[in-house]
Amino acid sequence: MKEAIFSLILQILMVSAIGRAQVTDDFSDGDFNYNPRWQGDSLHFEVNSSKQLHLKWTGNDTSFLATWGTWVPEIEWNFWIKLSFNTSVNNFMKVYLTADRMELDQSLNGSFLQVGGGNDSLYIMKQTGLTSQMLFHFPDVSTVHSTNTLRIKITCDATGLWNAWVDASGGQNFIEEGTWVDTTSPTLFWFGFWCKYTSSNATKCYMDDIYIGPVVRDTIPPSLSALMIPDSMHLSLRFSEDLEQTEALNCTNYTLMGSLNHPEMISVTSGSPCELMLHFGTPFQEQVMDTLMITNLVDLAGNRMPDTLVPFTLFEPGAYDILIHEVMMDPEPTVGLPPVEFIELYNQTGFSVDLSGWFLDIGSTRKTFPSVIIPANGFLLLARDSSLSGYGQTVSLFTSGSSLANEGTTLVLRNSRLQIIHTMTYTPEWIDEEWKSDGGWSLEMIDPANPCGCGDNWSVAEDPRGGTPGGTNSVYRINPDLNPPEVLRSFLVGDTVWEIRFSEPIDTTNPGSPWLWSLASNGMHPESLFFVS
């Protein structure tokens, strides 16, 4: 009678297995009691706030949880684990890949991955009853660290050839560890985690991102994620995944289209096969637009990356290349634009400029730019939200709807090295038409070629909407500055500093050599030059 009941239960499990050919669980539902159901020492575990399966018990003990899976001829196990302790003979984990019973702490037949133990390493063990023998030793992984975070991938093909990969940082950059043979292929099996621990480590085992099912094949070709220019002789490339290294390190696969030059050498950055540094023998010009052609690259699965053309620019913007071009400090009552303050920047160069890490000073408040590019001869709007996105590229840089003082303030645009690119101090007196002074009208720069024109180069907008965000200013006209700056005053500050004040702003990014400045009485030169804030 007992045999008949067991046979019936097995048939029911096999029928159910048809509808569950794989196990997938990232515990994002906050539960481990269903879909799939994990069984065993349920009171010893929880799903924590990070949506991970977490051992949470006390004392010196062992704990396990298991769920059942279905064998397929080409099968994969993929999971993430973290042991926040240096493993030992009394503190380690077994991950059962196959077991013929749910009770992982009893006599059983199957195989498991042992994580740690007396040798602080990873092993594949085959268990028969209460006896285990080693099938494979992972050569590149040690568990001697205070925190051991691992992502494991193990596959078995139809012939019984097993293969293992590990990312010892817990990510997806797997390193192939090796192969072994085991022709055991149970129709149904139990998969689970068995933990042995002392009281100090009874809450330091974590498990997540579990997949058991048909081998997941990589059919997606690699792509270029980023191109960076660390200096005038190098290009840094980051790809979407690891590359096959023979082609990745072949210099002829990278060509500068402007000169048809190839890099002289290629190195892997930080040991990551998806990040490369191209070393060129001839420096790039200071202001250059070129295109890098990339060919013949493949990923570790053999997927070929399409030939790729990547335009890039080597350009260091100087003073007045990026301008504060329009300011809406008092948007209400509205005339025709959304009721939001904004500053418009204008890039008057033929190069796109990355403003990441730049700064905008609004009076005494400093704002830092996020990752954003202002296109060549293009505009960028700075505001509190996306209300102006219909007028052009907008960055939410302001934290308040009243960031710009109606009574006037100083705006300073600085690059990432805090050099001043453009500055202006607006006042309400610049709105010289009284009927526009109640609000709704922006201040616009008249002539971008005269960025130092101060109030003489600004005027209230003439566009009937009240301003021209994202476009040519309505007051634009030729308005040259024909007067060079003059020294208004100079005086000693202490014993060793001489301060000079000019009639208008001067280029702070190019003060010239201290040898261009001297005292007429004795010809002495200053040791250094700096600009007063």
Side-chain angles (χ1 to χ4, degrees), residues 264-284:
E264 292 190 348
M265 184 180 70
I266 302 172
S267 59
V268 177
T269 304
S270 304
S272 174
C274 67
E275 297 186 15
L276 303 176
M277 184 71 73
L278 309 188
H279 306 255
F280 291 87
T282 303
F284 307 131

Short mmCIF file of all heavy atoms in Angstrom, two decimals, residues 264-284:
data_model
loop_
_atom_site.label_atom_id
_atom_site.label_comp_id
_atom_site.label_asym_id
_atom_site.label_seq_id
_atom_site.Cartn_x
_atom_site.Cartn_y
_atom_site.Cartn_z
N GLU A 264 49.00 51.46 -31.52
CA GLU A 264 50.24 50.69 -31.46
C GLU A 264 50.14 49.54 -30.46
O GLU A 264 50.84 48.54 -30.58
CB GLU A 264 51.40 51.61 -31.08
CG GLU A 264 51.76 52.62 -32.17
CD GLU A 264 53.07 53.33 -31.87
OE1 GLU A 264 53.57 53.21 -30.72
OE2 GLU A 264 53.60 54.00 -32.77
N MET A 265 49.25 49.69 -29.48
CA MET A 265 49.11 48.66 -28.47
C MET A 265 47.72 48.75 -27.86
O MET A 265 47.11 49.82 -27.84
CB MET A 265 50.18 48.82 -27.38
CG MET A 265 50.18 47.73 -26.32
SD MET A 265 51.47 47.97 -25.06
CE MET A 265 50.82 49.40 -24.20
N ILE A 266 47.21 47.62 -27.38
CA ILE A 266 45.91 47.57 -26.72
C ILE A 266 46.10 46.83 -25.41
O ILE A 266 46.73 45.77 -25.36
CB ILE A 266 44.86 46.86 -27.58
CG1 ILE A 266 44.70 47.58 -28.93
CG2 ILE A 266 43.51 46.81 -26.86
CD1 ILE A 266 43.84 46.84 -29.91
N SER A 267 45.54 47.37 -24.34
CA SER A 267 45.61 46.71 -23.04
C SER A 267 44.23 46.58 -22.45
O SER A 267 43.32 47.36 -22.76
CB SER A 267 46.52 47.49 -22.09
OG SER A 267 46.05 48.82 -21.91
N VAL A 268 44.07 45.57 -21.61
CA VAL A 268 42.82 45.35 -20.90
C VAL A 268 42.83 46.23 -19.64
O VAL A 268 43.82 46.27 -18.90
CB VAL A 268 42.64 43.88 -20.52
CG1 VAL A 268 41.37 43.68 -19.70
CG2 VAL A 268 42.60 43.02 -21.78
N THR A 269 41.74 46.96 -19.42
CA THR A 269 41.67 47.89 -18.30
C THR A 269 41.16 47.18 -17.06
O THR A 269 40.12 46.53 -17.10
CB THR A 269 40.73 49.06 -18.65
OG1 THR A 269 41.18 49.67 -19.85
CG2 THR A 269 40.71 50.09 -17.53
N SER A 270 41.89 47.31 -15.96
CA SER A 270 41.47 46.79 -14.65
C SER A 270 41.13 45.32 -14.68
O SER A 270 40.29 44.85 -13.92
CB SER A 270 40.26 47.60 -14.14
OG SER A 270 40.55 48.97 -14.08
N GLY A 271 41.74 44.58 -15.59
CA GLY A 271 41.50 43.15 -15.65
C GLY A 271 40.15 42.74 -16.18
O GLY A 271 39.77 41.57 -16.13
N SER A 272 39.38 43.68 -16.71
CA SER A 272 38.04 43.38 -17.21
C SER A 272 38.08 43.20 -18.72
O SER A 272 38.46 44.14 -19.44
CB SER A 272 37.07 44.51 -16.86
OG SER A 272 35.81 44.29 -17.47
N PRO A 273 37.70 42.02 -19.24
CA PRO A 273 37.75 41.79 -20.70
C PRO A 273 36.77 42.63 -21.51
O PRO A 273 36.76 42.55 -22.72
CB PRO A 273 37.40 40.29 -20.82
CG PRO A 273 37.64 39.72 -19.47
CD PRO A 273 37.32 40.81 -18.51
N CYS A 274 35.93 43.44 -20.85
CA CYS A 274 35.01 44.29 -21.60
C CYS A 274 35.49 45.74 -21.65
O CYS A 274 34.81 46.60 -22.21
CB CYS A 274 33.60 44.22 -21.03
SG CYS A 274 33.43 44.93 -19.37
N GLU A 275 36.66 46.05 -21.06
CA GLU A 275 37.19 47.41 -21.08
C GLU A 275 38.61 47.39 -21.65
O GLU A 275 39.47 46.67 -21.15
CB GLU A 275 37.19 48.01 -19.67
CG GLU A 275 35.79 48.15 -19.09
CD GLU A 275 35.78 48.87 -17.76
OE1 GLU A 275 36.81 49.51 -17.43
OE2 GLU A 275 34.77 48.80 -17.05
N LEU A 276 38.81 48.20 -22.69
CA LEU A 276 40.10 48.22 -23.39
C LEU A 276 40.66 49.64 -23.44
O LEU A 276 39.91 50.61 -23.48
CB LEU A 276 39.93 47.70 -24.82
CG LEU A 276 39.35 46.29 -24.99
CD1 LEU A 276 39.17 45.99 -26.47
CD2 LEU A 276 40.24 45.25 -24.33
N MET A 277 41.97 49.74 -23.47
CA MET A 277 42.66 51.01 -23.67
C MET A 277 43.47 50.92 -24.95
O MET A 277 44.33 50.05 -25.10
CB MET A 277 43.58 51.32 -22.49
CG MET A 277 44.24 52.69 -22.57
SD MET A 277 43.06 54.04 -22.29
CE MET A 277 42.81 53.87 -20.51
N LEU A 278 43.19 51.82 -25.90
CA LEU A 278 43.93 51.89 -27.14
C LEU A 278 45.05 52.91 -26.99
O LEU A 278 44.80 54.07 -26.67
CB LEU A 278 43.02 52.29 -28.30
CG LEU A 278 41.70 51.52 -28.48
CD1 LEU A 278 41.03 51.93 -29.78
CD2 LEU A 278 41.91 50.02 -28.43
N HIS A 279 46.29 52.49 -27.24
CA HIS A 279 47.46 53.36 -27.10
C HIS A 279 47.95 53.76 -28.50
O HIS A 279 48.33 52.89 -29.30
CB HIS A 279 48.59 52.64 -26.38
CG HIS A 279 48.20 52.06 -25.05
ND1 HIS A 279 48.56 52.62 -23.85
CD2 HIS A 279 47.45 50.96 -24.74
CE1 HIS A 279 48.08 51.89 -22.86
NE2 HIS A 279 47.40 50.87 -23.38
N PHE A 280 47.93 55.04 -28.82
CA PHE A 280 48.36 55.54 -30.12
C PHE A 280 49.76 56.14 -30.02
O PHE A 280 50.14 56.71 -28.98
CB PHE A 280 47.37 56.56 -30.66
CG PHE A 280 46.05 55.97 -31.05
CD1 PHE A 280 45.03 55.82 -30.12
CD2 PHE A 280 45.82 55.53 -32.36
CE1 PHE A 280 43.81 55.26 -30.47
CE2 PHE A 280 44.61 54.97 -32.73
CZ PHE A 280 43.61 54.83 -31.78
N GLY A 281 50.51 56.03 -31.10
CA GLY A 281 51.87 56.54 -31.11
C GLY A 281 51.97 58.03 -31.38
O GLY A 281 52.95 58.67 -31.00
N THR A 282 50.96 58.60 -32.03
CA THR A 282 50.96 60.03 -32.38
C THR A 282 49.85 60.74 -31.63
O THR A 282 48.70 60.29 -31.67
CB THR A 282 50.76 60.21 -33.89
OG1 THR A 282 51.78 59.49 -34.59
CG2 THR A 282 50.83 61.69 -34.26
N PRO A 283 50.12 61.83 -30.93
CA PRO A 283 49.07 62.53 -30.18
C PRO A 283 47.98 63.06 -31.11
O PRO A 283 48.25 63.46 -32.25
CB PRO A 283 49.81 63.67 -29.49
CG PRO A 283 51.24 63.27 -29.50
CD PRO A 283 51.44 62.45 -30.74
N PHE A 284 46.75 63.07 -30.63
CA PHE A 284 45.66 63.72 -31.35
C PHE A 284 45.89 65.23 -31.32
O PHE A 284 46.51 65.77 -30.41
CB PHE A 284 44.30 63.42 -30.71
CG PHE A 284 44.02 61.96 -30.51
CD1 PHE A 284 43.57 61.48 -29.28
CD2 PHE A 284 44.20 61.05 -31.54
CE1 PHE A 284 43.31 60.14 -29.09
CE2 PHE A 284 43.94 59.71 -31.36
CZ PHE A 284 43.50 59.25 -30.14
#
